[in-house]
Amino acid sequence: MRSKAIICFIFSGLIFCLSLSNTLAADIDTAAIYAEKCALCHGEDGKGTPTGIDFEVKDFTDAEWQGTRTDDDFVNSITNGNPDNSNYLPFGDMLSEEEIKAMVPVVRAFAQ
Ligand code: HEC
């Protein structure tokens, strides 16, 4: 009986932590981050502004291209930029890991 209680205790703690981290994630204002830090190059419509296109941004509405990139690829590029394209600034110092992860569904949504 006692071990069951302990397992139950650990499990409910886990659920609590999971729901807490969801709440924290929900507090990230991805629309504001996109408007302030991404739209300059990627555009409100995800297709890329003239500046962005000069910098060789990809068209986020292109589902075929999105299909070639994993979520981890996106997290990695947003965090570290692209070493082969110095126009793509790394955001690892400007955004937290959670914020960067929260931006992936925003990018995905343009192709849906
Ligand atoms: C200064 C212009 C600029 C800004 C601002 C910018 N990007 Fe980019 N982004 C680029 C360029 C250029 C590329 C293409 C890089 C390449 O050559 O793969 C790119 C590529 C990407 C990609 C595709 C990466 C991949 O792995 O293929 C994602 C996702 C992305 N940006 C997300 C963001 C997000 C989210 C923000 C805001 C936090 C942002 N970008 C802000 C210029 C910018």
Side-chain angles (χ1 to χ4, degrees):
M1 276 316 278
R2 196 159 161 237
S3 62
K4 260 191 193 162
I6 291 173
I7 289 170
C8 178
F9 182 72
I10 293 172
F11 193 65
S12 55
L14 189 71
I15 300 276
F16 176 73
C17 293
L18 285 176
S19 58
L20 192 69
S21 65
N22 276 341
T23 316
L24 289 176
D27 283 347
I28 298 174
D29 189 346
T30 52
I33 295 177
Y34 191 86
E36 280 166 26
K37 299 200 161 67
C38 317
L40 173 72
C41 295
H42 291 288
E44 288 298 338
D45 59 0
K47 287 174 179 289
T49 58
T51 313
I53 291 166
D54 265 358
F55 288 167
E56 295 174 33
V57 292
K58 304 289 192 296
D59 179 354
F60 287 167
T61 66
D62 180 350
E64 206 173 310
W65 166 75
Q66 287 236 14
T68 67
R69 310 293 294 156
T70 66
D71 289 358
D72 282 348
D73 289 336
F74 281 175
V75 168
N76 189 30
S77 338
I78 300 168
T79 309
N80 303 312
N82 177 349
D84 299 328
N85 181 343
S86 58
N87 293 323
Y88 192 22
L89 304 173
F91 282 89
D93 292 340
M94 282 179 258
L95 296 172
S96 71
E97 211 182 311
E98 281 69 33
E99 285 172 326
I100 290 173
K101 284 189 182 147
M103 294 316 287
V104 173
V106 176
V107 175
R108 293 285 184 211
F110 284 112
Q112 277 153 16

